Amino acid sequence: HLTDVGMVSFRGDEMPMVEFERYLRRDVQELRNRGKSVTDVTVIIRADKNAMSGQVQEIMQACQRTGYERFALRARNDDRDG
């Protein structure tokens, strides 16, 4: 999830955008350790309605650099969206 202030929430951890790719690389390694392929995973990107679209693109690019290829985008309007 991308917050309105540009923080990324990933698997329960919140981090600045600059640290996100490091977390992704660790996630890719965990998938491989379980015998799964990153190309079989769909990344769901949720963003606060006030998040900058350029930051959403940065998230997608970081995912692509680590091997993820499929994405689903979700808008988040308020806390009820999860």
Side-chain angles (χ1 to χ4, degrees):
H1 172 75
L2 177 63
T3 69
D4 61 339
V5 293
M7 295 292 285
V8 179
S9 178
F10 180 70
R11 299 207 188 281
D13 293 324
E14 191 167 289
M15 69 211 70
M17 184 74 73
V18 295
E19 294 180 24
F20 178 58
E21 193 166 336
R22 179 172 54 94
Y23 277 76
L24 281 175
R25 291 190 188 286
R26 185 174 61 193
D27 197 57
V28 167
Q29 188 58 49
E30 289 176 13
L31 282 169
R32 289 182 180 147
N33 290 344
R34 290 184 282 165
K36 297 187 178 190
S37 172
V38 69
T39 58
D40 295 330
V41 175
T42 299
V43 177
I44 299 173
I45 301 172
R46 294 178 188 210
D48 184 276
K49 66 179 179 179
N50 295 317
M52 300 176 100
S53 61
Q55 290 176 321
V56 173
Q57 186 174 6
E58 285 179 46
I59 288 175
M60 292 177 70
Q61 290 170 342
C63 291
Q64 289 171 326
R65 284 191 297 270
T66 56
Y68 292 98
E69 298 174 352
R70 298 186 321 191
F71 305 94
L73 302 177
R74 303 284 186 265
R76 184 170 179 178
N77 294 320
D78 58 34
D79 289 337
R80 291 177 291 158
D81 288 344

